[in-house]
Every structure is written in structure tokens, then in C-alpha cells.
């Protein structure tokens, strides 16, 4: 089946950074706080919105350092506040705040400078716009005007990430008209429309480029739907809210995050990792630290994350709690310990014998090496039984990267 070049390029990106940031960040109670908590002074944030511009550019630089290939920024969330100059279409935008500047302009300029693809999140469900509730056809006309502004004022856009059609599932959203305009103005832009928590991994027959798994962890991805090949993207946030929430301390661990990156790539999807900056655009220490860990891990293993194939094979014996999988020319192994000395108090991790049945490639393997120390692994390749057995030793003392990656070289 033919796969569009832009979809192939999107799949090679591997991981992206999601940024939920807007007026709700002031109250630090999550991105839905206006709707759920009925905050009475919500509009006061509009009069106080004056972030530090350097914080915006620093977010892009941090994403670059951590190995993210694209960034999705909330140009408008459901509260209806725009992080770009709407050119008079709506006065509820950042240029009418004390900040006065166009944040999407700052963001896209820095992305282009850093070589990262800027993606635009745009909430189609709107709590603030009366047209959404009273004159939906007019609302859609206005929506398309605003998307045209983004398509024409900020250089090349990597993609559009729409979210909210699930609020009016029976409505005629006129997606084809919107998508056609995007494809005429930004032909290389990826189009994503989040299907929400209830319809993960379903294209719903629309001409999008990507199927979504919001907070998802799929075991398998059905890429071919409606006679088209679609890329896939899972998304996660580092605690239980997408927007800034200071009293949400339920952050995932570094182990969970690294394992999720590897698992998502295993099943053939990109992973979108979300942060919720403070009102001034800065990141709290928790988000900062987790992204720094991603940066450290990616420096060592980045080549295994970008542009890999998607194959999964069981390991034996079945009693092993190691989860291993093949991705093109790479082998990922988790739950390895550290090599200590002969004294069990200091570890004494022994090598694990792992067998991969139904090995996909009969090409003769030359050698296999760990990416973290370039040490060779011993292995046996059985062509008759189509299997590969490797001896996976633990991490060297002083190192534990959670997921260990080996590179396979063929003769």
C-alpha cells in the first residue's frame, strides 16, 4: 500500500513535546478549571497575561536538547483564548493582553531556528464563543478563517492537532472543507483530529493522517483504515492534568516514561509527552527533571527511536518478566539489573538467556552490541528453527538506563 512521504516523515520523528499553556495556567488547577471549577475571576488572567518571552524560546530549546522532533502548542484551548494575533476576528487573544505580542510567532520562529517542526493544537470545542452554541455554521466559517491565518503567517507548519469534535459527534463539522484548505496552503502539514478517550485508534472515516490514542497504551495499532495507511500517535501527560496544576503531585516515574517511549515505538506509534508550564511560561522542577532524564536517555539511544520498523516477538522462557522486542535493527530489553561482584549483597546480576522465535530476517548476523557501552553480546542464530538466542548481561555497575538497547549488525 502506498504511504505518503509526509506520513513516513512523521513516523520517523518518534517523539514530540505537547505544551498545554494558556490563561488556565494562572490558577494552577488544570486546563479544564474554568469549566469544572466555575472560576468566577477567570477573565482576570487575561488582564494579567504577561509571560517572559525567553521562557517560550527556552521550551523549544529544551525540546531540541531532549531529542523531540516536533512540538504541539495549544494555540487555542477550549476556553477560547488565542495565543496568536487573530487580526480582529476575535479580541480574546494574546495581542490584546499586557504581553501584546504574538506567541505563535515567537514559538514558530524559534522552532524553525532549532530545526523542530511546529505543530498547532486548536480546540474546536469552545466554551467562550457564543457562535459555537447558537450559530454553528458561522462558527465553522470563523474557524476556517483563523486556521487560514495560521497557515499563511508563520512559515512552514509541521501539522495541525484538532481537539473537540467529540463534543458534537452528530454535527456536520465540514472537516473536508477545512482539511482541503490546509492541504492547499500547507501541503506538507500533518492533520490530526483527536478522537478522544472513547474512540482511541479509530479514524472514523475522516481524511486525517494520524489515528490518536489519548492517554493510550495500545498493544497493537491498525494502521490501515478506510483503505488508507495512517500514522499513529499516543499521548501522555506527566501527572494527571494536561495544564499546570500545582497540587497534582501524582507524577509518573522516570522508569514509566522511558518504558512508555519504547513501548509506543514498538507498536508503531509516535509518543507525545505533555507538560503544563506555569503562567509565565516556565516549567516546574518536576517536568524539568523528567525531560532532562529523557534528554540523557536519548543521547545514548536516539538512533533506535527514530525511523524504526515495528515488529514484536515473544521471549522465552515465559516465566521471565523481561519484555523484549525487535525494532528493525535494534533490540530493546527492560528489567535488567546491574552487574556487581560475586557477593550477592552488591548485586551479582547474571546474564539473561533470551530466545526470539519466528525471527524475521534470515540474513546472517555479524554482531550485536549495546548502545550504552559498545560491548558485544554473545548470540546464536538458528536458521532452521528461525530463532535467535542472545545472552543479555546486566548494566555495568554505576549505570542503569531502565531500557537497554542493542544494535544488530548484519553481514
Amino acid at each position: 500500500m502506498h504511504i505518503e512521504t509526509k506520513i513516513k516523515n512523521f513516523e520517523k520523528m518518534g517523539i514530540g513535546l505537547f505544551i498545554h499553556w494558556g490563561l488556565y495556567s494562572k490558577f494552577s488547577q488544570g486546563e479544564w478549571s474554568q469549566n469544572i471549577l466555575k472560576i468566577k475571576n477567570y477573565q482576570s488572567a487575561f488582564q494579567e497575561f504577561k509571560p517572559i518571552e525567553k521562557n517560550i524560546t527556552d521550551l523549544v530549546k529544551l525540546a531540541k536538547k531532549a531529542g523531540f522532533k516536533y512540538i504541539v502548542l495549544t494555540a487555542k484551548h477550549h476556553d477560547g483564548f488565542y495565543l496568536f494575533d487573530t487580526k480582529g476576528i476575535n479580541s480574546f487573544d494574546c495581542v490584546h493582553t499586557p504581553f501584546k505580542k504574538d506567541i505563535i510567532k515567537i514559538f514558530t520562529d524559534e522552532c524553525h531556528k532549532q530545526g523542530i517542526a511546529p505543530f498547532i493544537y486548536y480546540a474546536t470545542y469552545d466554551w467562550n464563543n457564543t457562535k459555537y452554541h447558537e450559530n454553528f455554521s458561522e462558527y465553522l466559517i470563523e474557524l476556517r478563517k483563523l486556521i487560514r491565518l495560521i497557515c499563511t503567517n508563520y512559515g512552514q507548519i509541521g501539522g495541525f492537532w484538532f481537539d473537540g469534535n467529540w463534543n458534537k459527534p452528530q454535527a456536520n463539522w465540514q472537516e473536508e472543507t477545512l482539511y482541503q484548505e490546509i492541504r492547499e496552503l500547507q501541503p506538507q502539514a500533518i492533520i490530526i483530529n483527536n478522537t478522544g478517550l472513547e474512540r482511541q485508534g479509530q479514524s472514523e472515516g475522516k481524511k486525517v493522517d494520524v489515528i490518536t490514542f489519548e492517554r493510550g497504551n495500545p498493544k497493537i495499532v491498525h494502521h490501515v483504515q478506510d483503505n488508507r495507511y495512517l500514522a499513529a500517535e499516543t499521548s501522555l501527560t506527566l501527572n494527571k492534568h494536561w495544564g499546570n496544576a500545582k497540587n497534582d503531585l501524582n507524577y509518573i516515574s522516570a522508569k514509566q516514561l522511558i518504558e512508555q517511549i519504547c513501548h509506543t515505538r514498538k507498536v508503531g506509534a509516535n509518543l507525545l509527552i505533555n507538560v503544563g508550564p506555569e503562567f509565565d511560561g516556565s516549567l516546574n522542577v518536576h517536568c524539568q527533571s523528567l525531560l532532562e532524564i529523557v534528554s540523557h536517555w536519548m543521547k545514548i539511544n536516539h538512533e533506535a527511536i527514530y525511523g524504526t520498523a515495528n515488529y514484536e516477538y515473544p521471549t522465552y522462557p515465559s516465566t521471565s518478566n523481561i519484555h523484549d522486542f525487535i525494532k528493525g535493527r535494534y533490540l530493546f530489553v527492560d528489567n535488567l539489573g546491574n552487574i556487581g561482584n560475586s557477593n550477592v549483597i552488591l548485586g551479582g546480576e547474571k546474564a539473561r538467556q533470551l530466545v526470539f522465535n519466528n525471527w524475521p530476517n534470515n540474513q546472517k548476523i555479524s554482531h550485536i552490541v549495546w548502545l550504552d557501552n559498545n560491548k558485544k553480546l554473545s548470540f546464536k542464530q538458528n536458521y532452521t528453527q528461525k530463532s535467535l538466542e542472545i545472552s543479555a548481561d546486566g548494566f555495568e555497575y554505576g549505570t542503569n538506563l531502565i531500557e537497554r538497547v542493542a544494535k544488530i549488525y548484519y553481514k
Side-chain angles (χ1 to χ4, degrees):
M1 174 173 285
H2 173 71
I3 305 175
E4 291 185 59
T5 300
K6 68 177 182 180
I7 291 179
K8 291 180 181 178
N9 291 338
F10 176 72
E11 289 185 319
K12 291 177 182 179
M13 291 180 179
I15 58 174
L17 181 66
F18 210 174
I19 302 175
H20 274 70
W21 183 50
L23 298 185
Y24 44 84
S25 303
K26 166 183 165 57
F27 305 97
S28 193
Q29 293 176 288
E31 73 290 349
W32 274 63
S33 56
Q34 181 189 26
N35 180 277
I36 295 175
L37 301 178
K38 311 299 181 186
I39 296 176
K40 294 181 179 179
N41 64 333
Y42 193 82
Q43 298 302 317
S44 66
F46 182 78
Q47 303 299 331
E48 299 173 20
F49 188 70
K50 195 173 182 181
I52 299 171
E53 184 172 337
K54 184 177 182 296
N55 288 338
I56 302 168
T57 56
D58 282 350
L59 274 171
V60 179
K61 292 174 182 176
L62 177 59
K64 174 73 172 183
K65 176 184 175 184
F68 295 98
K69 293 295 186 180
Y70 63 108
I71 306 175
V72 182
L73 175 61
T74 50
K76 179 181 86 76
H77 206 258
H78 304 305
D79 63 353
F81 176 64
Y82 300 88
L83 292 184
F84 62 97
D85 186 354
T86 64
K87 306 294 185 182
I89 296 175
N90 194 307
S91 60
F92 196 45
D93 62 19
C94 58
V95 299
H96 287 88
T97 69
F99 187 62
K100 297 182 180 180
K101 298 178 183 179
D102 187 324
I103 288 171
I104 294 301
K105 175 65 173 172
I106 297 169
F107 165 68
T108 53
D109 282 353
E110 187 64 29
C111 282
H112 294 146
K113 180 180 177 181
Q114 297 295 332
I116 292 180
F119 277 54
I120 301 298
Y121 170 105
Y122 191 101
T124 55
Y125 173 27
D126 195 310
W127 307 324
N128 184 62
N129 195 325
T130 56
K131 293 177 183 177
Y132 181 84
H133 306 282
E134 300 172 6
N135 192 336
F136 192 60
S137 60
E138 284 295 319
Y139 173 80
L140 294 178
I141 291 172
E142 183 177 284
L143 184 156
R144 291 194 293 271
K145 288 180 180 178
L146 291 163
I147 296 301
R148 281 197 293 271
L149 283 179
I150 296 172
C151 285
T152 53
N153 288 331
Y154 303 99
Q156 186 168 340
I157 301 297
F160 287 86
W161 213 99
F162 295 106
D163 183 26
N165 288 26
W166 36 262
N167 180 252
K168 287 180 179 283
Q170 306 305 320
N172 178 9
W173 282 91
Q174 302 176 29
E175 293 105 328
E176 285 304 304
T177 302
L178 173 64
Y179 298 165
Q180 183 59 35
E181 290 187 2
I182 292 173
R183 289 186 168 118
E184 289 175 359
L185 296 170
Q186 291 278 346
Q188 298 306 311
I190 290 290
I191 296 177
I192 303 171
N193 201 320
N194 182 29
T195 49
L197 293 170
E198 302 300 323
R199 298 183 65 81
Q200 294 181 356
Q202 299 180 45
S203 75
E204 299 185 330
K206 301 178 180 68
K207 297 296 183 182
V208 294
D209 299 312
V210 181
I211 51 177
T212 63
F213 294 84
E214 182 180 343
R215 298 183 189 265
N217 192 27
K219 293 183 178 179
I220 189 170
V221 174
H222 298 288
H223 286 279
V224 179
Q225 298 186 33
D226 306 308
N227 297 314
R228 298 178 63 235
Y229 180 92
L230 302 172
E233 182 185 70
T234 66
S235 56
L236 65 80
T237 188
L238 297 180
N239 55 12
K240 297 301 181 181
H241 295 78
W242 298 90
N244 179 32
K246 69 178 179 181
N247 287 330
D248 181 358
L249 304 181
N250 194 3
Y251 285 87
I252 65 175
S253 68
K255 183 176 188 293
Q256 290 173 303
L257 182 53
I258 297 302
E259 287 180 344
Q260 188 64 55
I261 291 172
C262 296
H263 171 81
T264 303
R265 294 302 282 152
K266 173 194 69 175
V267 297
N270 286 18
L271 180 62
L272 194 55
I273 300 171
N274 179 76
V275 294
E278 306 281 346
F279 195 45
D280 66 358
S282 63
L283 281 186
N284 66 36
V285 64
H286 310 293
C287 293
Q288 184 85 21
S289 296
L290 284 168
L291 293 186
E292 289 287 352
I293 288 172
V294 171
S295 176
H296 191 139
W297 191 88
M298 286 291 291
K299 282 180 181 178
I300 297 169
N301 299 300
H302 58 89
E303 65 175 274
I305 295 302
Y306 305 134
T308 54
N310 314 302
Y311 302 99
E312 182 176 12
Y313 295 89
T315 61
Y316 298 94
S318 60
T319 55
S320 171
N321 65 350
I322 295 183
H323 187 81
D324 317 273
F325 57 89
I326 300 300
K327 294 178 44 120
R329 304 176 75 93
Y330 298 94
L331 168 68
F332 290 56
V333 182
D334 62 20
N335 292 329
L336 288 176
N338 288 91
I339 299 173
N341 59 10
S342 58
N343 188 331
V344 72
I345 295 175
L346 292 181
E349 173 74 17
K350 296 181 179 179
R352 307 285 182 87
Q353 301 303 311
L354 306 174
V355 179
F356 294 85
N357 292 313
N358 299 314
W359 185 253
N361 196 332
N362 285 326
Q363 186 178 355
K364 191 172 183 180
I365 294 173
S366 168
H367 58 284
I368 305 174
V369 299
W370 292 121
L371 289 184
D372 58 86
N373 62 4
N374 208 35
K375 180 182 176 181
K376 290 185 178 181
L377 288 74
S378 61
F379 68 93
K380 295 179 182 179
Q381 189 175 10
N382 190 314
Y383 299 103
T384 303
Q385 297 181 3
K386 294 184 178 179
S387 66
L388 174 68
E389 179 180 352
I390 69 164
S391 179
D393 54 323
F395 291 101
E396 292 180 345
Y397 188 73
T399 298
N400 194 308
L401 299 174
I402 301 169
E403 288 275 349
R404 197 167 196 193
V405 186
K407 186 171 184 179
I408 302 169
Y409 293 84
Y410 294 96
K411 291 185 176 180

